[in-house]
Amino acid sequence: MIGQQTFTAADPTSTDTVVGAVGGLAYANDTLFVADSNRVGAGPLNHRVLLFQHISSMLPKPTDQLQYDRKCPVCVGQATVVLGQPDFTTTTETIAATQSDLRLPTAVASDGTHLVVADTNHNRVLIWNSIPQANNAPADVVLGQPDFTSTSIPGNSPNAKSMRGPQGVWIQDGKLYVADTQNNRVLIYNHIPTVNGTAADMVLGQKDFTTFVEPDLTQQNIPASASNLLNPVAVTSDGVHLFVTDLGNNRVLIWNSIPTTNDTPADVVVGQPDMNSSAANNAFTADSTGKQSPVLCTVSNGTDSNNNPTYPGLCKATISFPRFALSDGNRLFVADGGNDRILVFSQLPTQNGQSADFIIGEVGEGIDQASDASDSMITPMSLAWDGTNLYVSDTYNRRILVYSVGENVLPFTAVRNAASFDIHAVGSVQLTGSIQTNDSVTITINDTDYTYKIVDGDTFDSVVNALVSKINAGSGDPNVFAAPNTAIATVLLTARASGSDGNNVTYSTATSANALITSTAAGANLSGGGDAAQIAPGTVVSILGSNLANGIEAADLSQNPLPQQLAGAEVYFNGIRAPLLYASPNQINAQVPWEFTDTTNVNAFVRRVASDGTVTATTPVGVPIVQQNPGLFAMPNGDNPPPGVLLHGSSNAIGVVSVDGAANPGDVATVTIEDRSYSYTVQTDDTLDNIMNGLVALINQDPKVTASPSGVFDRIILKARVEGPDGNGIQFGASAPDGAQVIMTAIGTQLCCANVANSLVTPDNPAVPGEILIAYATGLGLPVLNDSNASLINTGYQYPPGSPNTQPVNFVSSIAAGKTANVLSASLLPGTVGLFQVVLQLNPDIPTDPQAQLTIAQDIFVSNIVTFPVANPAQ
């Protein structure tokens, strides 16, 4: 990317490395020419043309090994010459025309010798007879005006020498082509003019040079034809064909040979089914009865409620307000500005309304994803090709995107949170009551009913299993998988589609009249589906694809720093080489750099050095960057949702006291252990931390219990001095006087749940209500930095053993077994890279459930769902 420090910076200033809302592009003789203005309302307008000479030395090759020498090593480019302004920081709009001033230049062209600029708002085209080497160099020739100071237009009847708002220029084989936009025509000069005000030799789009043109666009009523043009904004050629971007008619016209006479009709139209159509995204036509039929988008994308085929309103054949068309001699690239994308035809179209082969800037046809992401664009205006790279002016994002052909394609969303490749939405239906023959239970999923009628001998287990079998019968319900949880007589539903789409699946349940059995749905929609491809800085991610590495190799995780190459593979984010944990041909595990705190999107690609020294690189994919998006690690056993990697938190019985509210001087906070009370009187300038720490110091005098702060939040952890079950049952409490601003809350009434610390939670050793558990996660984002930890958090390096607990920027909450769990801390795990240890206390009232579900959340981001077994001794 050229023109900004990062893909999403959109810096509005003007320098030799920062561009404004760029318009036209051209390439010749290792120079990229950029018209730094536009006519679509994007800003800023810098009224200048930039020359990036020796551009090849600025652009890394796709297979180069990149060095981390700036914020974004793939964000490059420094202009060497500026025209239209005295220097790189001035952006003055000059109303009066001169030999060197520009007013809204929108297009550039060069043959390596000449430079041509469409100086749009001066109604002229300027020609430099040699490539300028100095800033603000004056032009040599002006077209469209008799001299360098004139800017007028000859009323509404143009002539062979006049222009009105030209927006396209091109040089090919000694000829000059001009898209004379507001005169609805293309002018052709058989030789590059050397005299001011030279008349054009030929015109396309009009019968002659003097045909009247209605200046009011709203009053123009020119039907589309093979000869007419309406606001053409670009003209290009590959030496054989001529391409005109006919903006007002929402199409690109192709002449199969260079026209030699005025008003020559085009041979092929792109974006319309015929030469007489002109509607934007012309996907349908209607007959006399109003019935619509597909025109260009003829591949069905589904059926309606009456089982009739439906068709998309936007596909690879449709166009809306195109801005540029360019051929490299074989392919055709079209800047489809209104749809915020580039259409790529692998061969030049030979039929009207032909579909493109693929799209740049969209996930797929039918989705306009206009954004500032590295894989998106907003209103692309112009294109250039240097034989290797395709340049795209991304006007509203104030940048120039650079694409190259890749040998290996990473799939969309190839970069996933390593703890949660997919986040599926879930739901459940629980059965209660009693079993009675001939009662029936119905589960409805997106209007499809699954009914089971109870027979003699049925139990809750058999009814649950029967319903699951009906939902999964044959190829199964198209929207969900079903699974039984017979321990609590529940049918579990999991969306087949990962991500937020699963949240759109509706479900409900009902029983027959007078039935003794009851069924209860947990909600009206499945819920919990999320996007594991939105990544927080520092996250351990998995990159999924094929032929990514030469073999399988794992890093020695005890060494600092992690390696940046494994099995010949390297991963780059915005050109920064990432530390790697594991590499295989189909998956690489890496850490996203902590540095990405000031961007919302980066690109990612994999570079591979084969055993024979051959270097290949995948095409990049965009990676959305968010402040946090947590994922919980789970057992890879194929279940969905899978069992979590959860550990018992303590070998000693535990209790928790929460310190909340405000520190008001004179308030008294009290913790009671059996019949022993420990009270702290709040002092002036105290904080909740002071209250917590004061109570911890007092409680540590107790003969049976020790106390410690939770590490992140203002909670006191009480622990029996004796290990094992003998510490269970010690009574504790907390209080503050009426009217006090400090709030003291005992979570539970007695210490409980001694187990074997750090042993796995399993069906044979389940969690119990009120117990403290440890979960492992990644993606909680860069922690709050302070003097004690700022120097310890570094990309690719372990968070050092013995380091202090860290605190997430956004509070971590948790739902376990359907109830709020008390998160005690969520800290970087010392001795690991990018991993967090989440310590949480289960609600004392959760019921027995062998597949209790657990999530953690920060702000709007919810982790994947993992399961764990719970046994409530009271049940």
Side-chain angles (χ1 to χ4, degrees):
M1 190 270 297
I2 297 170
Q4 295 290 335
Q5 284 193 327
T6 67
F7 279 99
T8 60
D11 186 348
T13 60
S14 171
T15 71
D16 56 351
T17 59
V18 177
V19 300
V22 290
L25 301 176
Y27 173 86
N29 281 4
D30 202 22
T31 299
L32 178 68
F33 304 87
V34 178
D36 198 3
S37 288
N38 68 85
R39 241 192 180 186
V40 295
L45 302 173
N46 288 333
H47 304 286
R48 65 181 186 173
V49 168
L50 298 173
L51 279 65
F52 293 82
Q53 296 170 309
H54 311 295
I55 187 68
S56 62
S57 65
M58 303 178 195
L59 288 177
K61 295 182 177 63
T63 54
D64 283 352
Q65 187 176 75
L66 305 181
Q67 300 301 314
Y68 187 16
D69 55 0
R70 56 190 178 278
K71 181 180 291 188
C72 172
V74 293
C75 302
V76 300
Q78 183 175 19
T80 49
V81 175
V82 61
L83 302 177
Q85 301 290 353
D87 52 55
F88 289 106
T89 58
T90 303
T91 59
T92 303
E93 179 181 10
T94 304
I95 306 301
T98 71
Q99 196 169 351
S100 56
D101 286 316
L102 298 171
R103 188 182 180 205
L104 209 81
T106 60
V108 285
S110 179
D111 58 1
T113 300
H114 303 83
L115 173 63
V116 180
V117 175
D119 189 12
T120 305
N121 277 12
H122 279 150
N123 300 299
R124 66 183 186 176
V125 166
L126 297 178
I127 301 174
W128 283 259
N129 290 332
S130 59
I131 304 301
Q133 300 299 314
N135 291 348
N136 211 26
D140 298 294
V141 179
V142 62
L143 302 178
Q145 301 295 337
D147 52 55
F148 285 107
T149 59
S150 300
T151 61
S152 62
I153 53 176
N156 300 331
S157 296
N159 56 55
K161 296 182 178 182
S162 70
M163 294 180 188
R164 186 167 63 170
Q167 294 186 51
V169 287
W170 188 260
I171 300 175
Q172 187 74 44
D173 299 329
K175 293 187 176 185
L176 173 64
Y177 301 83
V178 177
D180 188 10
T181 305
Q182 289 180 269
N183 282 325
N184 297 333
R185 64 185 185 176
V186 167
L187 301 176
I188 301 177
Y189 299 81
N190 290 332
H191 303 282
I192 296 176
T194 58
V195 177
N196 292 346
T198 299
D201 297 294
M202 192 166 57
V203 64
L204 299 177
Q206 301 290 349
K207 295 185 181 301
D208 53 47
F209 288 107
T210 58
T211 300
F212 169 81
V213 176
E214 171 60 56
D216 185 348
L217 291 178
T218 64
Q219 300 301 314
Q220 290 185 356
N221 187 23
I222 305 171
S225 72
S227 302
N228 288 343
L229 297 173
L230 182 61
N231 273 71
V233 290
V235 55
T236 64
S237 175
D238 61 2
V240 176
H241 306 81
L242 187 69
F243 309 93
V244 174
T245 305
D246 191 12
L247 175 77
N249 286 320
N250 297 288
R251 64 184 184 175
V252 170
L253 295 176
I254 302 176
W255 283 259
N256 289 332
S257 59
I258 305 300
T260 57
T261 59
N262 291 347
D263 206 28
T264 301
D267 298 294
V268 179
V269 62
V270 177
Q272 299 292 344
D274 53 58
M275 292 289 183
N276 305 117
S277 300
S278 61
N281 289 329
N282 191 8
F284 298 94
T285 187
D287 61 21
S288 58
T289 66
K291 181 180 179 181
Q292 288 192 326
S293 301
V295 178
L296 298 184
C297 305
T298 58
V299 178
S300 173
N301 64 348
T303 56
D304 61 18
S305 57
N306 296 318
N307 210 34
N308 296 316
T310 59
Y311 300 89
L314 174 66
C315 64
K316 293 179 181 177
T318 58
I319 283 178
S320 173
F321 295 108
R323 294 289 172 177
F324 207 88
L326 178 68
S327 175
D328 64 356
N330 185 27
R331 287 169 287 220
L332 177 67
F333 307 101
V334 175
D336 186 10
N339 290 324
D340 305 298
R341 64 184 185 174
I342 307 298
L343 299 177
V344 182
F345 300 81
S346 298
Q347 302 291 329
L348 291 179
T350 58
Q351 302 294 323
N352 293 344
Q354 193 168 319
S355 289
D357 294 287
F358 57 94
I359 300 169
I360 301 172
E362 281 183 354
V363 177
E365 55 184 321
I367 303 173
D368 188 342
Q369 66 187 59
S371 77
D372 62 357
S374 59
D375 59 352
S376 301
M377 58 190 71
I378 303 176
T379 314
M381 292 291 291
S382 186
L383 307 168
W385 174 257
D386 67 6
T388 299
N389 302 295
L390 176 70
Y391 303 84
V392 178
S393 60
D394 187 8
T395 306
Y396 278 90
N397 288 321
R398 304 167 184 166
R399 63 187 185 182
I400 299 156
L401 302 175
V402 187
Y403 298 89
S404 57
V405 178
E407 300 179 29
N408 186 13
V409 179
L410 285 179
F412 181 68
T413 69
V415 181
R416 303 292 188 93
N417 185 307
S420 56
F421 286 4
D422 297 297
I423 305 178
H424 291 262
V426 298
S428 64
V429 174
Q430 186 173 32
L431 305 181
T432 54
S434 58
I435 299 294
Q436 176 178 263
T437 303
N438 294 325
D439 284 354
S440 63
V441 179
T442 299
I443 296 176
T444 303
I445 301 167
N446 275 10
D447 300 324
T448 300
D449 293 337
Y450 299 95
T451 301
Y452 178 72
K453 188 174 182 179
I454 296 173
V455 300
D456 287 341
D458 263 339
T459 64
F460 279 108
D461 285 5
S462 62
V463 174
V464 167
N465 285 319
L467 286 166
V468 167
S469 296
K470 284 183 173 290
I471 295 169
N472 293 337
S475 57
D477 183 272
N479 300 292
V480 303
F481 298 103
N485 185 344
T486 54
I488 55 173
T490 298
V491 176
L492 305 175
L493 303 175
T494 303
R496 288 179 179 266
S498 63
S500 58
D501 286 349
N503 299 330
N504 297 323
V505 177
T506 62
Y507 73 109
S508 60
T509 184
T511 58
S512 54
N514 301 316
L516 298 182
I517 193 170
T518 60
S519 59
T520 306
N525 288 64
L526 301 186
S527 61
D531 188 355
Q534 294 189 72
I535 306 299
T539 301
V540 176
V541 295
S542 293
I543 299 97
L544 308 178
S546 59
N547 300 318
L548 301 179
N550 300 329
I552 297 176
E553 186 177 1
D556 182 351
L557 301 183
S558 67
Q559 298 299 307
N560 267 330
L562 289 176
Q564 294 178 326
Q565 185 182 87
L566 289 174
E570 298 172 345
V571 173
Y572 288 89
F573 295 103
N574 269 12
I576 301 172
R577 257 197 310 177
L580 307 182
L581 295 87
Y582 167 85
S584 73
N586 299 320
Q587 177 180 333
I588 298 174
N589 290 351
Q591 185 190 25
V592 172
W594 288 114
E595 289 87 333
F596 295 144
T597 56
D598 61 349
T599 185
T600 57
N601 195 278
V602 299
N603 75 0
F605 64 92
V606 177
R607 178 180 184 266
R608 179 168 71 96
V609 181
S611 54
D612 63 359
T614 303
V615 179
T616 57
T618 68
T619 54
V621 293
V623 181
I625 299 295
V626 293
Q627 189 175 53
Q628 69 278 307
N629 190 11
L632 288 168
F633 284 97
M635 300 292 188
N637 68 348
D639 289 349
N640 195 2
V645 179
L646 296 175
L647 306 182
H648 293 283
S650 177
S651 298
N652 304 67
I654 292 288
V656 177
V657 172
S658 183
V659 182
D660 301 294
N664 181 49
D667 285 353
V668 178
T670 300
V671 174
T672 301
I673 310 296
E674 297 182 329
D675 59 353
R676 303 174 296 280
S677 293
Y678 302 94
S679 297
Y680 179 84
T681 301
V682 181
Q683 306 297 308
T684 302
D685 297 329
D686 264 351
T687 64
L688 292 179
D689 282 354
N690 297 138
I691 299 171
M692 175 184 67
N693 291 327
L695 285 167
V696 165
L698 293 169
I699 296 168
N700 277 326
Q701 305 170 42
D702 192 86
K704 292 186 177 181
V705 170
T706 63
S708 61
S710 65
V712 176
F713 308 109
D714 291 310
R715 297 185 179 110
I716 299 169
I717 309 298
L718 304 175
K719 182 183 294 187
R721 291 184 180 274
V722 60
E723 287 191 356
D726 289 345
N728 291 341
I730 297 175
Q731 299 291 320
F732 73 98
S735 63
D738 291 342
Q741 293 185 28
V742 65
I743 301 171
M744 301 295 296
T745 307
I747 302 174
T749 60
Q750 57 186 17
L751 303 190
C752 79
C753 320
N755 204 290
V756 177
N758 299 314
S759 63
L760 197 64
V761 176
T762 66
D764 292 332
N765 186 14
V768 298
E771 184 177 4
I772 288 178
L773 300 182
I774 297 171
Y776 294 106
T778 189
L780 276 64
L782 182 65
V784 174
L785 299 180
N786 53 49
D787 292 342
S788 66
N789 65 30
S791 63
L792 306 177
I793 302 174
N794 297 292
T795 299
Y797 286 80
Q798 296 175 12
Y799 189 57
S803 297
N805 274 0
T806 61
Q807 181 176 344
V809 170
N810 278 318
F811 176 81
V812 178
S813 62
S814 178
I815 299 293
K819 295 181 180 290
T820 300
N822 183 23
V823 176
L824 303 177
S825 66
S827 172
L828 279 173
L829 180 61
T832 69
V833 175
L835 300 188
F836 289 81
Q837 178 174 275
V838 180
V839 180
L840 54 89
Q841 183 187 29
L842 300 178
N843 191 290
D845 297 325
I846 59 175
T848 294
D849 186 348
Q851 292 176 285
Q853 296 182 352
L854 171 70
T855 60
I856 60 174
Q858 292 174 278
D859 194 29
I860 62 171
F861 297 95
V862 182
S863 74
N864 54 315
I865 298 169
V866 299
T867 64
F868 67 103
V870 177
N872 189 328
Q875 292 181 297

